[in-house]
Amino acid sequence: MPYSYVYLPIFALLAVANTAIMIGIPKYLLAPRNPFHGEKLETYECGELPFDDALVNFNIRYYVFALTFFVFDMEAIFLYPWSIVFQELGLFGLAEMFLFLAVLGLGLLYAYKKRVLHWV
Amino acid sequence: MSLADLWAQHWFRAFVTGSLVLVFALGNFYITLWLERKESAWIQNRLGPMRAGPQGLLQVLADLFKLLQKEDIVPRNVDRILFLIAPFIAHIPALLIFLVVPFGPNMVVADYDIGIIMIAAVTSYAVIATFIAGWGSNNKYSLLGAMRGAAQMISYEVTLVMSVIGVVMMAGSLKLSDIVLAQAERGVLGWYLFPQFIGFIVYLIASLAELNRAPFDLMEAESELVAGYHTEYSGFRFAIFLLVEYVHMIAWSAIAATLFLGGWVGPTPADIPVIGPKLFGWMTGPVWDNVWGFFWFLFKTYLLIFILIWIRWTFPRVRIDQLMDLGWKFLLPVSLFNIFLTGVMKYGWNVLAESGSPLRWIFWLWR
């Protein structure tokens, strides 16, 4: 039923409209507006005046985790089609996918041993 | 019917069902927020909200009225575009999840054949919304919270997706209504909770991490990061993040109820052995089926929400290295093992059920 995919944009549209209404009505009708009073437009840092920019370099380990995530998410996408049909594929399909899983398990073991998964 | 008419019909139906789902989400947000307060009070031996309405039922409304009067502040240093669009992006996936969830036998908005993949695809947008909010705020606390949140959510997304594969293998379909029907065919308490017990536990833990709820609420750890990624948000922009958090909680519980607890399948009064058909025989038919289906669906969903709140108010927060170790070094191998176990057991049943060997009862649970 290709028509059912029309629900995706409509639901997204409704969510956006709902957010706009929920933010817009109080903002323009109910809430006070006095933005230049005091220092309320400063970035919040527990009462201190903020120093330096917040957008600093971040640790490399985030990147490594993102790469590992990428590998395993791809694997999951390969597993889904197999998991639907594996009952028809019989022993061959089962063994084949376990081989695939074993390779990925080895990959996980490698990452583990290389301390990629170690959060400093 | 012409093609244009068909399109018009679907557009209309999409608007109607979308509005209904929105009302469902907002109503359950209200109830869940109240439930969270009352349950936390119960666990901590307090009374909780009592003043506003009977048993504090109007407390959430009072809070929303308070938030309505708050000034909408956009700080000077923020990345304006990212800061402003983050609540919108956060709200979209929360609503899109309900597209494929079967509320009752005939109550599903759009029954996609790729239901579970769609859920996995849509929910990963929550990470993007979180990171946009944190980065756009240009605040150190927000950025730290968003970084931790991104690392945590992508790590647990893998585990979550893997834990569901066992259910797909059992049902042989990605369509959520097919999964519910497959569980109904397995008879009384034929839920996938029992053969997929490992998967269920892994799903529960991973969804807690995905929802950023305690014990995994590292990205908005109040004692460390003020409020994490929504430190700079005020008024109703903040309320949107709160809403999204709770709607996600309802959605994850609803999906867990559908996949592991049999969704809308449940006994009706007409199923009572002797007196049932006589007394409640009129409670059958398509409309009553939907009513009872919706009742059981809500019952199971709220059971899981209750458990999520219980966990939140019972356990202390874990450290980030413990969190990552749990996800990558324990839950991921365990969910891979679950796939292996399900494959072997299911294959064993398929082979032995035909031969009629008595050994087949070992595999009976995975039938």
Side-chain angles (χ1 to χ4, degrees):
Chain A
M1 178 160 117
Y3 300 105
S4 60
Y5 286 92
V6 81
Y7 291 84
L8 270 169
I10 300 248
F11 267 58
L13 202 70
L14 278 169
V16 168
N18 182 41
T19 319
I21 290 167
M22 280 173 70
I23 292 175
I25 287 182
K27 185 178 178 185
Y28 292 107
L29 296 180
L30 297 165
R33 269 206 285 180
N34 188 10
F36 301 110
H37 183 265
E39 287 168 339
K40 69 166 77 163
L41 291 186
E42 288 301 328
T43 303
Y44 179 76
E45 218 155 275
C46 298
E48 298 283 328
L49 279 180
F51 63 95
D52 226 350
D53 200 46
L55 308 179
V56 290
N57 290 348
F58 52 87
N59 200 309
I60 187 74
R61 67 180 172 229
Y62 288 101
Y63 181 67
V64 175
F65 269 98
L67 275 181
T68 326
F69 158 75
F70 188 65
V71 172
F72 280 93
D73 225 27
M74 289 298 284
E75 178 202 346
I77 282 298
F78 284 127
L79 276 171
Y80 268 110
W82 167 79
S83 65
I84 296 171
V85 294
F86 93 105
Q87 295 192 48
E88 285 102 76
L89 293 179
L91 192 59
F92 177 73
L94 201 67
E96 190 82 338
M97 191 43 85
F98 287 157
L99 210 64
F100 180 65
L101 278 184
V103 170
L104 279 150
L106 275 179
L108 190 66
L109 197 68
Y110 178 75
Y112 184 44
K113 284 288 168 199
K114 280 279 176 187
R115 295 170 74 80
V116 168
L117 306 177
H118 184 70
W119 193 274
V120 186
Chain B
M1 197 184 284
S2 75
L3 202 62
D5 283 350
L6 208 58
W7 272 105
Q9 194 190 335
H10 274 280
W11 279 84
F12 181 69
R13 189 168 171 268
F15 268 110
V16 173
T17 50
S19 311
L20 284 176
V21 165
L22 203 58
V23 170
F24 173 83
L26 290 174
N28 281 289
F29 159 68
Y30 192 97
I31 297 168
T32 313
L33 202 53
W34 176 80
L35 188 72
E36 168 124 45
R37 291 183 169 182
K38 278 312 220 188
E39 199 181 324
S40 65
W42 183 48
I43 288 170
Q44 295 171 344
N45 210 358
R46 296 184 280 118
L47 282 176
M50 291 295 281
R51 297 296 176 103
Q55 289 295 313
L57 264 173
L58 299 178
Q59 184 66 44
V60 180
L61 205 62
D63 286 349
L64 286 178
F65 272 117
K66 189 204 80 173
L67 280 171
L68 279 175
Q69 303 167 31
K70 294 289 172 192
E71 185 179 350
D72 185 61
I73 296 171
V74 181
R76 194 180 291 134
N77 284 332
V78 298
D79 191 329
R80 228 183 140 76
I81 295 170
L82 294 183
F83 186 83
L84 294 182
I85 63 167
F88 291 88
I89 294 180
H91 197 309
I92 293 172
L95 203 59
L96 282 181
I97 303 174
F98 287 107
L99 261 178
V100 290
V101 174
F103 296 101
N106 300 313
M107 289 165 73
V108 48
V109 178
D111 213 358
Y112 294 151
D113 293 337
I114 52 156
I116 289 175
I117 291 184
M118 197 216 114
I119 289 170
V122 159
T123 49
S124 53
Y125 278 92
V127 187
I128 295 172
T130 308
F131 203 78
I132 286 179
W135 182 269
S137 291
N138 202 356
N139 178 327
K140 283 157 197 148
Y141 296 118
S142 299
L143 187 68
L144 271 174
M147 293 285 227
R148 283 183 186 182
Q152 170 187 339
M153 282 159 96
I154 60 169
S155 298
Y156 276 84
E157 203 175 298
V158 175
T159 315
L160 198 72
V161 167
M162 291 284 183
S163 66
V164 173
I165 287 178
V167 171
V168 179
M169 285 164 80
M170 299 287 295
S173 175
L174 289 168
K175 208 174 181 176
L176 265 75
S177 56
D178 280 0
I179 291 173
V180 173
L181 287 174
Q183 290 178 78
E185 275 171 19
R186 288 159 55 88
V188 178
L189 293 187
W191 302 343
Y192 288 152
L193 169 65
F194 304 112
Q196 291 297 320
F197 188 70
I198 303 171
F200 178 67
I201 297 293
V202 171
Y203 179 95
L204 209 63
I205 297 171
S207 66
L208 268 174
E210 194 81 352
L211 289 164
N212 301 304
R213 288 179 68 77
F216 306 121
D217 63 341
L218 285 152
M219 63 188 261
E220 45 180 293
E222 294 94 347
S223 49
E224 301 165 29
L225 296 177
V226 190
Y229 67 102
H230 50 57
T231 302
E232 291 292 349
Y233 285 87
S234 63
F236 243 71
R237 278 183 215 283
F238 166 73
I240 295 281
F241 283 112
L242 192 73
L243 168 77
V244 166
E245 195 187 316
Y246 279 89
V247 173
H248 265 130
M249 188 166 125
I250 297 157
W252 283 119
S253 306
I255 294 162
T258 305
L259 295 181
F260 296 101
L261 299 183
W264 46 260
V265 176
T268 62
D271 292 337
I272 301 170
V274 184
I275 54 166
K278 263 185 202 164
L279 284 177
F280 303 107
W282 53 277
M283 273 189 181
T284 47
V287 177
W288 277 103
D289 281 354
N290 272 332
V291 169
W292 284 110
F294 191 57
F295 167 76
W296 281 112
F297 169 79
L298 271 188
F299 180 77
K300 288 164 185 172
T301 307
Y302 271 96
L303 199 71
L304 287 162
I305 289 176
F306 186 86
I307 292 171
L308 289 186
I309 297 173
W310 184 5
I311 292 171
R312 172 171 178 180
W313 292 97
T314 307
F315 291 112
R317 187 180 300 137
V318 299
R319 249 177 20 226
I320 182 114
D321 61 325
Q322 292 169 336
L323 175 90
M324 297 310 245
D325 280 2
L326 179 71
W328 285 104
K329 296 178 187 170
F330 181 68
L331 289 182
L332 185 60
V334 162
S335 55
L336 287 177
F337 171 73
N338 184 41
I339 295 170
F340 175 76
L341 185 76
T342 312
V344 169
M345 289 310 212
K346 188 87 184 163
Y347 182 76
W349 171 260
N350 283 352
V351 169
L352 289 177
E354 290 163 14
S355 68
S357 145
L359 269 176
R360 70 180 187 274
W361 298 113
I362 299 170
F363 306 99
W364 178 77
L365 201 55
W366 285 266
R367 66 193 182 279

